[in-house]
Amino acid sequence: MTLPRTPLATAALVLLSLSAAACGQANDTPWTAPELRLILSLSPPPALAYSAGNRFADDDRAARLGQKLFFDKGLSRSGQIACATCHEPARFFTDGRARAKGVAETNRNAPTVMGTQNLPFVFHDGRKDSLWAQALGPLESDAEHAFDRTAAARHLAASYRTEYEAIFGSLPSQAEIAALPAQARPRPLDSTHPQARAWAAMAEPQRSAVTRAFVNIGKAIEAYERKLLPRPAPFDAYASALRRGDADAARMLDAPARQGLRAFIGAGGCVNCHNGPLLTDMAFHNLGLPPAAGVIGVDGGRSVGADQVRRDEFRCGTQWSDATPTAGACQELHYLNPQFEDFLGAFRTPTLRNVARTGPYMHAGQFATLAEVVGFYQTLPGRAQVGHRDLTLQRLPGSVQAQDLVAFLESLTGPLPEPRWLDPGG
Amino acid sequence: MRVGVVACGACAVLACTRAAPMPSPTATATPATPGATAVADAAPAASPQPSAALPGTAVELGGRSKAGKYTATLRFSVPKLGELFSTNLRVTLASGAALPDGATVTVDATMPEHRHGMMTQPATTVAGPGLWRTDGMKLHMQGRWVFAVDVSSTAGDDRLELPFEQPPEATPP
């Protein structure tokens, strides 16, 4: 079609092109009120929730100690593994690997720390109900830090006694530390292990004092991790502009990302599970994922984790938690349904904040790129390895362009936390 | 043709400004819709209705049970998405008379379009004559849920299904 080249037509074309520039894309369909409400429900990133089980959670001295501990390879048997080994700040606190590797390779992907602060249950299977309890798991995992409780107390006393005692109170004396077994820890599933025998041989006050120090390592690390909340991303600038009625809101987000957002909250149905300001329902779903290369056996996921968290040594309401169950602090645990049939093979919906920087994806790193993830949702191939695929899941309709969805997901990348929290600190 | 081009440019401007205003969700509670609800096949998710009440709004759902044996009223504050909440329930015989002694009640919630329920295990306790309190409810997905109130007494077993639209807000808007 050829337009007549008259002054009026030229003016009209200029108007059209200016309008297009102002909107980013001239043919954008306006958001409906429900769509706009959904968009605004995803932004901005949330404020910190109260940490009922850790009275040091917002103590800056604890955060600074936790920061040092997070980067301290001395908290591992080999002296080579720190929390930061699998949660590298520059990678948005992930490791870039399909499956995390400490002393050995694990069966799970290392999720980002950013955005875990408000979750009722952590780990892919939700087997811990606080960040401080979570931080202690890898320390005693044979595949990760392969550390033990008496060695942790000894290291704490040797390297951090003054800082620790200013926050948490007395550590065992030097003489008491010297009297501890070299390596001891509880091993409920292997009571004949030398470490378990050494632990059982300790007097109860000794075990209690060592566990208190160990628990406070976790509480300091949680205090640090609470400094690592996701920060606003380009999507949030767009949502903020929509919220204040800015006619130029579209300048904040390019056209493919806006189209991806439309699919995300609409035809794609992604927002069903990736909801709220962390873009996660904090719940557990079985996607019917393909098996992960190199992993033997099937992973029961939440069905196992739900049982574990109810028996966990450090769960909400135990002597190690600062929460008081009678004050209603342990409700998530209390009302957890461990028999929920859809938990079999289910894993926690991950936050999508900074997702473009936290691959590989899924609980065992099954997909290397976001394009692969979207490709999976386009076809939903195969069947669940265990349990059944979540009935909510439907294939992405053909009208949804994969590259648009990826563009939207990339718009969820915000800045890293403040630089002072990205290294071991002073 | 010229007119068409000009009109198109104007449309673009209009589209741009129409996208901007904030929605104004009504503060009225979701109206009670008694009676049975159809269980659809796995239909695509419907977006929340603009009328979905904001979290914190007082809601009262009620009606008569399917077989007409009971009348019930369920009261609660619209929960934030994914947050634990409690409900208060009053049940009488359809005539308005008090329930026979020993009546039992359970309250559950499902998303028929998604074919799933809650991931929590709520607990219902007696709160007074004909009154029950349920704690530990959690709706983890926005959209249409259906509360199921099951009543059992010497007058018989019967169920009420009460649709409810969970809004998408997980934090105060």
Side-chain angles (χ1 to χ4, degrees), chain A residues 5-47:
Chain A
R5 295 180 184 279
T6 64
L8 182 55
T10 304
L13 283 171
V14 167
L15 176 59
L16 176 59
S17 108
L18 285 174
S19 303
C23 291
Q25 187 187 34
N27 61 356
D28 266 5
T29 307
W31 298 115
T32 63
E35 286 173 335
L36 201 47
R37 190 168 172 185
L38 266 176
I39 292 168
L40 299 185
S41 74
L42 304 176
S43 179

mmCIF file of all heavy atoms in Angstrom, chain A residues 5-47:
data_model
loop_
_atom_site.group_PDB
_atom_site.id
_atom_site.type_symbol
_atom_site.label_atom_id
_atom_site.label_comp_id
_atom_site.label_asym_id
_atom_site.label_seq_id
_atom_site.Cartn_x
_atom_site.Cartn_y
_atom_site.Cartn_z
ATOM 1 N N ARG A 5 1.437 11.182 -0.900
ATOM 2 C CA ARG A 5 2.424 12.026 -0.238
ATOM 3 C C ARG A 5 1.950 13.465 -0.180
ATOM 4 O O ARG A 5 2.423 14.329 -0.880
ATOM 5 C CB ARG A 5 3.758 11.939 -0.978
ATOM 6 C CG ARG A 5 4.335 10.541 -0.899
ATOM 7 C CD ARG A 5 5.660 10.462 -1.626
ATOM 8 N NE ARG A 5 6.160 9.092 -1.611
ATOM 9 C CZ ARG A 5 6.790 8.557 -0.570
ATOM 10 N NH1 ARG A 5 6.998 9.258 0.509
ATOM 11 N NH2 ARG A 5 7.213 7.323 -0.630
ATOM 12 N N THR A 6 0.992 13.724 0.634
ATOM 13 C CA THR A 6 0.497 15.091 0.821
ATOM 14 C C THR A 6 0.976 15.568 2.186
ATOM 15 O O THR A 6 1.315 14.755 3.057
ATOM 16 C CB THR A 6 -1.041 15.108 0.819
ATOM 17 O OG1 THR A 6 -1.483 14.355 1.948
ATOM 18 C CG2 THR A 6 -1.606 14.514 -0.458
ATOM 19 N N PRO A 7 1.018 16.865 2.415
ATOM 20 C CA PRO A 7 1.448 17.386 3.724
ATOM 21 C C PRO A 7 0.616 16.800 4.859
ATOM 22 O O PRO A 7 1.138 16.458 5.909
ATOM 23 C CB PRO A 7 1.225 18.896 3.593
ATOM 24 C CG PRO A 7 1.335 19.161 2.120
ATOM 25 C CD PRO A 7 0.776 17.947 1.443
ATOM 26 N N LEU A 8 -0.686 16.659 4.646
ATOM 27 C CA LEU A 8 -1.525 16.145 5.719
ATOM 28 C C LEU A 8 -1.170 14.698 6.052
ATOM 29 O O LEU A 8 -1.072 14.309 7.211
ATOM 30 C CB LEU A 8 -3.001 16.252 5.320
ATOM 31 C CG LEU A 8 -4.006 15.793 6.376
ATOM 32 C CD1 LEU A 8 -3.782 16.527 7.699
ATOM 33 C CD2 LEU A 8 -5.427 16.006 5.886
ATOM 34 N N ALA A 9 -0.945 13.925 4.976
ATOM 35 C CA ALA A 9 -0.600 12.526 5.207
ATOM 36 C C ALA A 9 0.727 12.418 5.944
ATOM 37 O O ALA A 9 0.910 11.591 6.836
ATOM 38 C CB ALA A 9 -0.520 11.783 3.879
ATOM 39 N N THR A 10 1.663 13.289 5.551
ATOM 40 C CA THR A 10 2.964 13.256 6.221
ATOM 41 C C THR A 10 2.799 13.584 7.703
ATOM 42 O O THR A 10 3.357 12.928 8.581
ATOM 43 C CB THR A 10 3.917 14.280 5.571
ATOM 44 O OG1 THR A 10 3.982 13.973 4.186
ATOM 45 C CG2 THR A 10 5.288 14.218 6.197
ATOM 46 N N ALA A 11 1.970 14.594 7.991
ATOM 47 C CA ALA A 11 1.738 14.974 9.382
ATOM 48 C C ALA A 11 1.101 13.815 10.155
ATOM 49 O O ALA A 11 1.442 13.537 11.307
ATOM 50 C CB ALA A 11 0.833 16.197 9.446
ATOM 51 N N ALA A 12 0.178 13.163 9.463
ATOM 52 C CA ALA A 12 -0.491 12.033 10.117
ATOM 53 C C ALA A 12 0.506 10.931 10.450
ATOM 54 O O ALA A 12 0.468 10.337 11.523
ATOM 55 C CB ALA A 12 -1.590 11.495 9.203
ATOM 56 N N LEU A 13 1.421 10.673 9.507
ATOM 57 C CA LEU A 13 2.416 9.630 9.754
ATOM 58 C C LEU A 13 3.337 10.019 10.905
ATOM 59 O O LEU A 13 3.703 9.192 11.734
ATOM 60 C CB LEU A 13 3.234 9.394 8.472
ATOM 61 C CG LEU A 13 2.496 8.581 7.418
ATOM 62 C CD1 LEU A 13 3.305 8.588 6.112
ATOM 63 C CD2 LEU A 13 2.254 7.151 7.883
ATOM 64 N N VAL A 14 3.683 11.303 10.966
ATOM 65 C CA VAL A 14 4.535 11.759 12.061
ATOM 66 C C VAL A 14 3.796 11.551 13.389
ATOM 67 O O VAL A 14 4.355 11.059 14.361
ATOM 68 C CB VAL A 14 4.927 13.242 11.874
ATOM 69 C CG1 VAL A 14 5.542 13.797 13.151
ATOM 70 C CG2 VAL A 14 5.883 13.375 10.705
ATOM 71 N N LEU A 15 2.503 11.930 13.385
ATOM 72 C CA LEU A 15 1.707 11.758 14.600
ATOM 73 C C LEU A 15 1.668 10.292 15.010
ATOM 74 O O LEU A 15 1.862 9.939 16.173
ATOM 75 C CB LEU A 15 0.284 12.276 14.351
ATOM 76 C CG LEU A 15 -0.704 12.086 15.498
ATOM 77 C CD1 LEU A 15 -0.214 12.779 16.755
ATOM 78 C CD2 LEU A 15 -2.078 12.594 15.096
ATOM 79 N N LEU A 16 1.474 9.445 14.000
ATOM 80 C CA LEU A 16 1.417 8.015 14.295
ATOM 81 C C LEU A 16 2.746 7.542 14.882
ATOM 82 O O LEU A 16 2.798 6.829 15.875
ATOM 83 C CB LEU A 16 1.111 7.239 13.009
ATOM 84 C CG LEU A 16 1.100 5.709 13.133
ATOM 85 C CD1 LEU A 16 0.061 5.277 14.153
ATOM 86 C CD2 LEU A 16 0.830 5.069 11.779
ATOM 87 N N SER A 17 3.814 8.025 14.266
ATOM 88 C CA SER A 17 5.098 7.536 14.717
ATOM 89 C C SER A 17 5.452 8.112 16.087
ATOM 90 O O SER A 17 6.020 7.428 16.916
ATOM 91 C CB SER A 17 6.150 7.839 13.662
ATOM 92 O OG SER A 17 6.982 8.806 14.046
ATOM 93 N N LEU A 18 5.048 9.356 16.364
ATOM 94 C CA LEU A 18 5.277 9.916 17.689
ATOM 95 C C LEU A 18 4.477 9.160 18.734
ATOM 96 O O LEU A 18 4.952 8.861 19.824
ATOM 97 C CB LEU A 18 4.893 11.399 17.725
ATOM 98 C CG LEU A 18 5.880 12.348 17.039
ATOM 99 C CD1 LEU A 18 5.314 13.757 17.029
ATOM 100 C CD2 LEU A 18 7.235 12.315 17.741
ATOM 101 N N SER A 19 3.237 8.846 18.373
ATOM 102 C CA SER A 19 2.389 8.097 19.293
ATOM 103 C C SER A 19 3.001 6.739 19.576
ATOM 104 O O SER A 19 3.010 6.267 20.713
ATOM 105 C CB SER A 19 0.999 7.906 18.692
ATOM 106 O OG SER A 19 0.440 9.165 18.392
ATOM 107 N N ALA A 20 3.512 6.131 18.498
ATOM 108 C CA ALA A 20 4.116 4.822 18.663
ATOM 109 C C ALA A 20 5.316 4.911 19.592
ATOM 110 O O ALA A 20 5.511 4.060 20.467
ATOM 111 C CB ALA A 20 4.543 4.276 17.295
ATOM 112 N N ALA A 21 6.109 5.985 19.422
ATOM 113 C CA ALA A 21 7.274 6.126 20.270
ATOM 114 C C ALA A 21 6.859 6.326 21.718
ATOM 115 O O ALA A 21 7.453 5.777 22.643
ATOM 116 C CB ALA A 21 8.116 7.313 19.792
ATOM 117 N N ALA A 22 5.820 7.124 21.917
ATOM 118 C CA ALA A 22 5.379 7.396 23.282
ATOM 119 C C ALA A 22 4.901 6.132 23.955
ATOM 120 O O ALA A 22 5.093 5.926 25.145
ATOM 121 C CB ALA A 22 4.268 8.442 23.275
ATOM 122 N N CYS A 23 4.259 5.287 23.221
ATOM 123 C CA CYS A 23 3.737 4.059 23.806
ATOM 124 C C CYS A 23 4.737 2.924 23.744
ATOM 125 O O CYS A 23 4.541 1.900 24.358
ATOM 126 C CB CYS A 23 2.482 3.602 23.072
ATOM 127 S SG CYS A 23 1.097 4.675 23.346
ATOM 128 N N GLY A 24 5.792 3.103 22.993
ATOM 129 C CA GLY A 24 6.730 2.002 22.793
ATOM 130 C C GLY A 24 6.251 1.123 21.662
ATOM 131 O O GLY A 24 7.011 0.653 20.863
ATOM 132 N N GLN A 25 4.958 0.899 21.613
ATOM 133 C CA GLN A 25 4.395 0.111 20.511
ATOM 134 C C GLN A 25 2.973 0.616 20.294
ATOM 135 O O GLN A 25 2.150 0.597 21.203
ATOM 136 C CB GLN A 25 4.383 -1.365 20.866
ATOM 137 C CG GLN A 25 3.975 -2.216 19.690
ATOM 138 C CD GLN A 25 3.807 -3.666 20.107
ATOM 139 O OE1 GLN A 25 3.390 -3.967 21.216
ATOM 140 N NE2 GLN A 25 4.108 -4.556 19.200
ATOM 141 N N ALA A 26 2.707 1.077 19.052
ATOM 142 C CA ALA A 26 1.447 1.768 18.812
ATOM 143 C C ALA A 26 0.242 0.859 19.002
ATOM 144 O O ALA A 26 -0.807 1.304 19.434
ATOM 145 C CB ALA A 26 1.436 2.348 17.410
ATOM 146 N N ASN A 27 0.386 -0.410 18.669
ATOM 147 C CA ASN A 27 -0.793 -1.262 18.679
ATOM 148 C C ASN A 27 -0.957 -2.041 19.989
ATOM 149 O O ASN A 27 -1.601 -3.064 20.021
ATOM 150 C CB ASN A 27 -0.766 -2.215 17.477
ATOM 151 C CG ASN A 27 0.451 -3.117 17.532
ATOM 152 O OD1 ASN A 27 1.278 -2.972 18.415
ATOM 153 N ND2 ASN A 27 0.539 -4.034 16.577
ATOM 154 N N ASP A 28 -0.337 -1.567 21.053
ATOM 155 C CA ASP A 28 -0.559 -2.190 22.349
ATOM 156 C C ASP A 28 -2.037 -2.149 22.698
ATOM 157 O O ASP A 28 -2.660 -1.097 22.612
ATOM 158 C CB ASP A 28 0.183 -1.422 23.447
ATOM 159 C CG ASP A 28 1.548 -2.015 23.725
ATOM 160 O OD1 ASP A 28 1.946 -2.941 23.007
ATOM 161 O OD2 ASP A 28 2.193 -1.520 24.645
ATOM 162 N N THR A 29 -2.561 -3.267 23.107
ATOM 163 C CA THR A 29 -3.923 -3.249 23.635
ATOM 164 C C THR A 29 -3.852 -2.740 25.068
ATOM 165 O O THR A 29 -2.996 -3.161 25.826
ATOM 166 C CB THR A 29 -4.500 -4.682 23.630
ATOM 167 O OG1 THR A 29 -4.341 -5.210 22.315
ATOM 168 C CG2 THR A 29 -5.964 -4.671 24.029
ATOM 169 N N PRO A 30 -4.726 -1.814 25.429
ATOM 170 C CA PRO A 30 -4.665 -1.310 26.808
ATOM 171 C C PRO A 30 -4.895 -2.435 27.798
ATOM 172 O O PRO A 30 -5.638 -3.381 27.526
ATOM 173 C CB PRO A 30 -5.804 -0.289 26.867
ATOM 174 C CG PRO A 30 -6.144 0.002 25.461
ATOM 175 C CD PRO A 30 -5.791 -1.204 24.653
ATOM 176 N N TRP A 31 -4.274 -2.310 28.955
ATOM 177 C CA TRP A 31 -4.517 -3.295 30.014
ATOM 178 C C TRP A 31 -5.940 -3.142 30.526
ATOM 179 O O TRP A 31 -6.419 -2.034 30.747
ATOM 180 C CB TRP A 31 -3.544 -3.080 31.185
ATOM 181 C CG TRP A 31 -2.101 -3.235 30.842
ATOM 182 C CD1 TRP A 31 -1.152 -2.262 30.875
ATOM 183 C CD2 TRP A 31 -1.432 -4.439 30.433
ATOM 184 N NE1 TRP A 31 0.074 -2.785 30.515
ATOM 185 C CE2 TRP A 31 -0.067 -4.110 30.236
ATOM 186 C CE3 TRP A 31 -1.843 -5.752 30.208
ATOM 187 C CZ2 TRP A 31 0.887 -5.053 29.829
ATOM 188 C CZ3 TRP A 31 -0.896 -6.681 29.802
ATOM 189 C CH2 TRP A 31 0.447 -6.333 29.613
ATOM 190 N N THR A 32 -6.600 -4.254 30.723
ATOM 191 C CA THR A 32 -7.914 -4.197 31.367
ATOM 192 C C THR A 32 -7.692 -3.991 32.871
ATOM 193 O O THR A 32 -6.574 -4.182 33.379
ATOM 194 C CB THR A 32 -8.679 -5.512 31.164
ATOM 195 O OG1 THR A 32 -7.944 -6.563 31.808
ATOM 196 C CG2 THR A 32 -8.856 -5.827 29.679
ATOM 197 N N ALA A 33 -8.747 -3.654 33.575
ATOM 198 C CA ALA A 33 -8.614 -3.443 35.015
ATOM 199 C C ALA A 33 -8.111 -4.698 35.734
ATOM 200 O O ALA A 33 -7.212 -4.606 36.579
ATOM 201 C CB ALA A 33 -9.948 -2.965 35.604
ATOM 202 N N PRO A 34 -8.642 -5.906 35.421
ATOM 203 C CA PRO A 34 -8.088 -7.104 36.085
ATOM 204 C C PRO A 34 -6.624 -7.333 35.746
ATOM 205 O O PRO A 34 -5.842 -7.746 36.601
ATOM 206 C CB PRO A 34 -8.966 -8.239 35.566
ATOM 207 C CG PRO A 34 -10.212 -7.593 35.085
ATOM 208 C CD PRO A 34 -9.820 -6.240 34.605
ATOM 209 N N GLU A 35 -6.250 -7.078 34.484
ATOM 210 C CA GLU A 35 -4.842 -7.263 34.108
ATOM 211 C C GLU A 35 -3.952 -6.303 34.888
ATOM 212 O O GLU A 35 -2.888 -6.686 35.389
ATOM 213 C CB GLU A 35 -4.669 -7.018 32.606
ATOM 214 C CG GLU A 35 -5.204 -8.132 31.735
ATOM 215 C CD GLU A 35 -5.167 -7.792 30.248
ATOM 216 O OE1 GLU A 35 -5.185 -6.575 29.904
ATOM 217 O OE2 GLU A 35 -5.147 -8.722 29.435
ATOM 218 N N LEU A 36 -4.393 -5.059 34.964
ATOM 219 C CA LEU A 36 -3.603 -4.058 35.658
ATOM 220 C C LEU A 36 -3.471 -4.428 37.142
ATOM 221 O O LEU A 36 -2.403 -4.282 37.746
ATOM 222 C CB LEU A 36 -4.272 -2.692 35.495
ATOM 223 C CG LEU A 36 -3.406 -1.467 35.713
ATOM 224 C CD1 LEU A 36 -2.077 -1.560 34.993
ATOM 225 C CD2 LEU A 36 -4.167 -0.231 35.255
ATOM 226 N N ARG A 37 -4.543 -4.924 37.687
ATOM 227 C CA ARG A 37 -4.501 -5.324 39.101
ATOM 228 C C ARG A 37 -3.507 -6.467 39.315
ATOM 229 O O ARG A 37 -2.758 -6.497 40.292
ATOM 230 C CB ARG A 37 -5.906 -5.729 39.536
ATOM 231 C CG ARG A 37 -6.007 -5.911 41.021
ATOM 232 C CD ARG A 37 -7.437 -6.026 41.452
ATOM 233 N NE ARG A 37 -7.485 -6.380 42.857
ATOM 234 C CZ ARG A 37 -8.603 -6.646 43.507
ATOM 235 N NH1 ARG A 37 -9.765 -6.582 42.898
ATOM 236 N NH2 ARG A 37 -8.574 -6.966 44.786
ATOM 237 N N LEU A 38 -3.505 -7.410 38.374
ATOM 238 C CA LEU A 38 -2.539 -8.515 38.465
ATOM 239 C C LEU A 38 -1.104 -7.994 38.352
ATOM 240 O O LEU A 38 -0.225 -8.414 39.108
ATOM 241 C CB LEU A 38 -2.800 -9.520 37.334
ATOM 242 C CG LEU A 38 -3.702 -10.699 37.648
ATOM 243 C CD1 LEU A 38 -3.921 -11.534 36.395
ATOM 244 C CD2 LEU A 38 -3.094 -11.575 38.736
ATOM 245 N N ILE A 39 -0.875 -7.101 37.411
ATOM 246 C CA ILE A 39 0.482 -6.567 37.223
ATOM 247 C C ILE A 39 0.958 -5.884 38.503
ATOM 248 O O ILE A 39 2.076 -6.124 38.975
ATOM 249 C CB ILE A 39 0.511 -5.572 36.040
ATOM 250 C CG1 ILE A 39 0.265 -6.313 34.726
ATOM 251 C CG2 ILE A 39 1.832 -4.821 35.992
ATOM 252 C CD1 ILE A 39 -0.005 -5.391 33.542
ATOM 253 N N LEU A 40 0.088 -5.065 39.063
ATOM 254 C CA LEU A 40 0.495 -4.318 40.256
ATOM 255 C C LEU A 40 0.688 -5.235 41.460
ATOM 256 O O LEU A 40 1.441 -4.906 42.378
ATOM 257 C CB LEU A 40 -0.544 -3.233 40.568
ATOM 258 C CG LEU A 40 -0.737 -2.182 39.472
ATOM 259 C CD1 LEU A 40 -1.688 -1.081 39.933
ATOM 260 C CD2 LEU A 40 0.602 -1.565 39.053
ATOM 261 N N SER A 41 0.031 -6.392 41.435
ATOM 262 C CA SER A 41 0.198 -7.329 42.560
ATOM 263 C C SER A 41 1.583 -7.976 42.550
ATOM 264 O O SER A 41 1.985 -8.606 43.526
ATOM 265 C CB SER A 41 -0.886 -8.405 42.532
ATOM 266 O OG SER A 41 -0.640 -9.355 41.500
ATOM 267 N N LEU A 42 2.318 -7.831 41.448
ATOM 268 C CA LEU A 42 3.635 -8.460 41.321
ATOM 269 C C LEU A 42 4.774 -7.523 41.701
ATOM 270 O O LEU A 42 5.954 -7.905 41.618
ATOM 271 C CB LEU A 42 3.839 -8.925 39.872
ATOM 272 C CG LEU A 42 2.792 -9.876 39.295
ATOM 273 C CD1 LEU A 42 3.083 -10.167 37.821
ATOM 274 C CD2 LEU A 42 2.749 -11.178 40.085
ATOM 275 N N SER A 43 4.448 -6.320 42.081
ATOM 276 C CA SER A 43 5.481 -5.303 42.261
ATOM 277 C C SER A 43 5.063 -4.341 43.376
ATOM 278 O O SER A 43 3.854 -4.124 43.573
ATOM 279 C CB SER A 43 5.651 -4.539 40.945
ATOM 280 O OG SER A 43 6.616 -3.524 41.084
ATOM 281 N N PRO A 44 5.985 -3.704 44.086
ATOM 282 C CA PRO A 44 7.446 -3.842 44.026
ATOM 283 C C PRO A 44 7.914 -5.065 44.814
ATOM 284 O O PRO A 44 7.081 -5.759 45.410
ATOM 285 C CB PRO A 44 7.915 -2.549 44.714
ATOM 286 C CG PRO A 44 6.857 -2.278 45.736
ATOM 287 C CD PRO A 44 5.568 -2.712 45.086
ATOM 288 N N PRO A 45 9.235 -5.336 44.825
ATOM 289 C CA PRO A 45 9.733 -6.434 45.657
ATOM 290 C C PRO A 45 9.282 -6.215 47.098
ATOM 291 O O PRO A 45 9.143 -5.080 47.542
ATOM 292 C CB PRO A 45 11.255 -6.322 45.544
ATOM 293 C CG PRO A 45 11.502 -5.540 44.303
ATOM 294 C CD PRO A 45 10.327 -4.628 44.137
ATOM 295 N N PRO A 46 9.051 -7.294 47.834
ATOM 296 C CA PRO A 46 8.471 -7.151 49.173
ATOM 297 C C PRO A 46 9.473 -6.644 50.200
ATOM 298 O O PRO A 46 10.680 -6.773 50.020
ATOM 299 C CB PRO A 46 8.056 -8.584 49.506
ATOM 300 C CG PRO A 46 9.030 -9.429 48.759
ATOM 301 C CD PRO A 46 9.319 -8.691 47.475
ATOM 302 N N ALA A 47 8.916 -6.088 51.271
ATOM 303 C CA ALA A 47 9.740 -5.766 52.438
ATOM 304 C C ALA A 47 9.994 -7.058 53.214
ATOM 305 O O ALA A 47 9.330 -8.067 52.985
ATOM 306 C CB ALA A 47 9.005 -4.752 53.309
#
